[in-house]
Amino acid sequence: MKKQPQITEKTRQTFIEVFCELYSQKPIEKISVQEIANKSGYNRSTFYQYFTDIYELLDSVENDLLNDMKKELANQVLSLHTFQDTLYCLDKREHLLVLNALLGDYGSARFIKRLKEEITLGQLELNVPRNHALTPYFTEFYLTTSLSLFRLWIQRQKDLSSEQFFKLVENLYSSGITPYFKE
């Protein structure tokens, strides 16, 4: 007899949540299938019904997040701040556990690279000279700075409201840090 889809999805989600909790605390090499299964309340054979190994689980977590982001972006009119629009899409309660893991101290540079690649850069490049030798540097500066600030905000448990954070990023790009220093 086949299991009910909602039970199957709940089990899969439990493995994902436990993995993300562990991955935010230690490197992936130190996480075992047995540890994930034990903390999830299932046995190893149940884990293997969903994932072949921890790396497939990581791929699944990354793909799910990137697919959610793409769906959200498809439903929006993008501004000239494409990357900020993307980060805004990721600013959802249900993404917090995953973001803490993927952007945390033990997260992978591969995910950050994938995230950058998934973002539509066409509109971002409108803000910089086209076919200029420095364009890749401008683009990388913008992407890396935005992502780094977002990562810090997540690590600080979103100590600013979403509105405050995104306004801060916008202000930093337009005016720099000088307005925040009072003489």
Side-chain angles (χ1 to χ4, degrees):
M1 183 172 173
K2 206 113 161 104
K3 292 181 181 178
Q4 296 176 348
Q6 60 268 34
I7 292 172
T8 303
E9 183 54 34
K10 184 176 187 258
T11 304
R12 180 182 180 281
Q13 193 58 39
T14 300
F15 285 132
I16 288 171
E17 289 170 6
V18 168
F19 169 75
C20 287
E21 287 173 18
L22 293 170
Y23 193 35
S24 66
Q25 298 166 8
K26 58 185 168 180
I28 194 166
E29 298 81 24
K30 303 260 184 196
I31 301 170
S32 69
V33 170
Q34 186 66 55
E35 183 179 21
I36 293 170
N38 288 346
K39 287 187 174 262
S40 298
Y42 297 99
N43 57 41
R44 285 171 41 118
S45 63
T46 304
F47 176 91
Y48 290 119
Q49 290 174 7
Y50 294 85
F51 307 102
T52 56
D53 59 20
I54 291 174
Y55 295 97
E56 182 184 334
L57 172 54
L58 174 60
D59 283 341
S60 178
V61 168
E62 289 180 0
N63 290 336
D64 289 350
L65 183 65
L66 291 171
N67 287 335
D68 282 355
M69 178 194 75
K70 284 191 257 186
K71 284 180 198 167
E72 186 75 26
L73 284 172
N75 296 327
Q76 286 190 13
V77 175
L78 298 178
S79 71
L80 292 177
H81 305 287
T82 308
F83 198 66
Q84 290 174 19
D85 293 337
T86 303
L87 297 180
Y88 193 77
C89 289
L90 295 176
D91 178 29
K92 293 184 174 177
R93 173 172 279 147
E94 65 263 23
H95 295 313
L96 190 56
L97 182 64
V98 171
L99 289 169
N100 274 326
L102 296 178
L103 298 177
D105 292 337
Y106 304 105
S108 77
R110 181 188 78 138
F111 172 72
I112 293 172
K113 183 179 179 190
R114 285 184 70 195
L115 182 58
K116 287 179 184 179
E117 288 170 356
E118 291 291 337
I119 296 164
T120 306
L121 297 179
Q123 292 186 12
L124 173 62
E125 291 172 349
L126 290 175
N127 295 330
V128 296
R130 287 200 179 283
N131 301 321
H132 190 279
L134 298 179
T135 298
Y137 294 97
F138 299 146
T139 303
E140 183 65 18
F141 169 79
Y142 185 80
L143 293 175
T144 303
T145 303
S146 295
L147 186 55
S148 186
L149 289 170
F150 187 75
R151 183 175 182 259
L152 177 63
W153 182 55
I154 294 293
Q155 289 175 338
R156 292 179 55 105
Q157 305 295 309
K158 294 185 172 185
D159 57 344
L160 301 173
S161 71
S162 297
E163 294 76 22
Q164 289 172 317
F165 172 75
F166 289 107
K167 185 67 173 166
L168 172 65
V169 173
E170 186 178 320
N171 288 342
L172 288 173
Y173 281 121
S174 62
S175 305
I177 62 172
T178 306
Y180 292 94
F181 295 101
K182 297 188 180 183
E183 294 184 54

